[in-house]
Amino acid sequence: MDVSTSIGPQFQESTKYHRGRPVPQVPGWAAPPDTYKVYEDYLERVALPEPQSGGAPLWEAIEARRSQRRFSGEPLTLAEISQLLWATQGLTGEVGGIELRASASAGALYPNETYVVAQAVDGVTAGVYHYDIRAHELGMLAEGDYSEDLARACLEQTWMQRAGAVFVWGSVVARCAWKYQNRAYRYLYLDAGHLGAQLQLAAHSLGLGSCNIAAFFDNEVAKLVGIDCLTEVPVYVAAVGRA
Ligand SMILES: Cc1cc2nc3c(=O)[nH]c(=O)nc-3n(C[C@H](O)[C@H](O)[C@H](O)COP(=O)(O)O)c2cc1C
């Protein structure tokens, strides 16, 4: 297939900024969107331990990080999950009343929500969870062993079933499009790339293996974490486990 005449270049072209042409602006009176998704009906809340420092130094993690797809199936600890969530989306600062997170985000709009599919995590019931950033807690959305369904949804990547947890990032499009309109679709993925990179470095630093995943059936992954695949779209997945 010749992509040069297809939707990709059309998207790239129609979302370019050009010198001399106005850049879309948010009206001065427009209130920014809420950057946190709130669920009123978690089935259960799981408090996460305080994030800790320590582990392998950054330079070593950068040099030694590799995508890992062989996992022992041995459970992760809740402290490790806590650390990985903090390293990607944890609150780490504030400026002018805007809460800032561990990973950079265009316009500090943070469109990406984190879902954790707990497959083998010590003391945590298997299921699908949402990361409640402000509370630094996991909220259960669905109980059960979804490891097989998720691996199937990721184009039958069956090795994922032995990961302790799989992170799924879903982008709330309007949060970013409020400011950047169609160009937002570039930023959803750029933001997600930061999350994936920080997750891999953090996982390595903790002595864990991880692999980022973009090969998935979008509708199936969306259904599994309970998002509609239109206003909130799955953009990136990452499996983490013990070697
Ligand atoms: C955007 C993106 C998508 C990826 N998707 C998959 C995937 O679906 N399955 C997989 O096994 N690896 C996936 N990978 C991992 C790459 O195959 C891996 O990063 C590459 O082979 C380089 O190896 P390294 O990460 O060990 O340096 C993905 C990596 C990126 C950055």
Side-chain angles (χ1 to χ4, degrees), residues 73-92:
E74 205 189 317
L76 300 176
T77 66
L78 197 54
E80 288 165 340
I81 297 291
S82 168
Q83 201 67 23
L84 295 169
L85 288 166
W86 176 82
T88 47
Q89 292 263 51
L91 294 179
T92 51

Side-chain angles (χ1 to χ4, degrees), residues 65-69 157 159 200 211-215 236:
R65 174 215 63 83
R66 281 276 81 82
S67 297
Q68 198 166 306
R69 302 172 187 82
Q157 298 191 63
W159 55 267
Q200 281 221 294
C211 186
N212 294 334
I213 296 157
Y236 214 9

Side-chain angles (χ1 to χ4, degrees), residues 25-225:
Q25 295 290 335
V26 176
W29 44 263
D34 194 351
T35 53
Y36 297 93
K37 187 174 181 186
V38 176
Y39 287 84
E40 304 293 348
D41 53 354
Y42 287 140
L43 300 176
E44 188 182 304
R45 277 185 172 271
V46 180
L48 294 163
E50 279 296 303
Q52 305 288 324
S53 53
L58 178 64
W59 311 119
E60 187 195 314
I62 290 172
E63 187 176 20
R65 174 215 63 83
R66 281 276 81 82
S67 297
Q68 198 166 306
R69 302 172 187 82
R70 278 176 196 271
F71 303 117
S72 64
E74 205 189 317
L76 300 176
T77 66
L78 197 54
E80 288 165 340
I81 297 291
S82 168
Q83 201 67 23
L84 295 169
L85 288 166
W86 176 82
T88 47
Q89 292 263 51
L91 294 179
T92 51
E94 187 256 302
V95 64
I98 298 171
E99 289 171 320
L100 301 172
R101 305 186 192 172
S103 289
S105 171
L109 290 167
Y110 304 105
N112 291 309
E113 294 288 328
T114 308
Y115 303 89
V116 177
V117 181
Q119 302 187 156
V121 182
D122 261 341
V124 176
T125 309
V128 180
Y129 294 81
H130 171 250
Y131 178 38
D132 180 340
I133 296 171
R134 281 176 155 154
H136 193 56
E137 288 179 356
L138 285 174
M140 188 196 266
L141 303 177
E143 181 178 341
D145 177 1
Y146 290 92
S147 56
E148 192 180 340
D149 292 347
L150 185 53
R152 286 174 60 82
C154 293
L155 274 59
E156 325 291 339
Q157 298 191 63
T158 50
W159 55 267
M160 293 172 60
Q161 287 176 246
R162 293 181 72 74
V166 181
F167 289 63
V168 175
W169 288 292
S171 289
V172 179
V173 180
R175 216 181 272 169
C176 194
W178 169 77
K179 181 167 183 184
Y180 300 110
Q181 301 177 16
N182 273 318
R183 195 173 166 93
Y185 279 88
R186 296 177 178 216
Y187 298 166
L188 306 177
Y189 289 97
L190 290 169
D191 276 21
H194 288 276
L195 296 172
Q198 287 191 202
L199 182 97
Q200 281 221 294
L201 293 176
H204 181 85
S205 191
L206 291 167
L208 303 172
S210 68
C211 186
N212 294 334
I213 296 157
F216 52 79
F217 297 114
D218 304 62
N219 289 339
E220 292 181 23
V221 168
K223 189 170 174 209
L224 203 139
V225 298

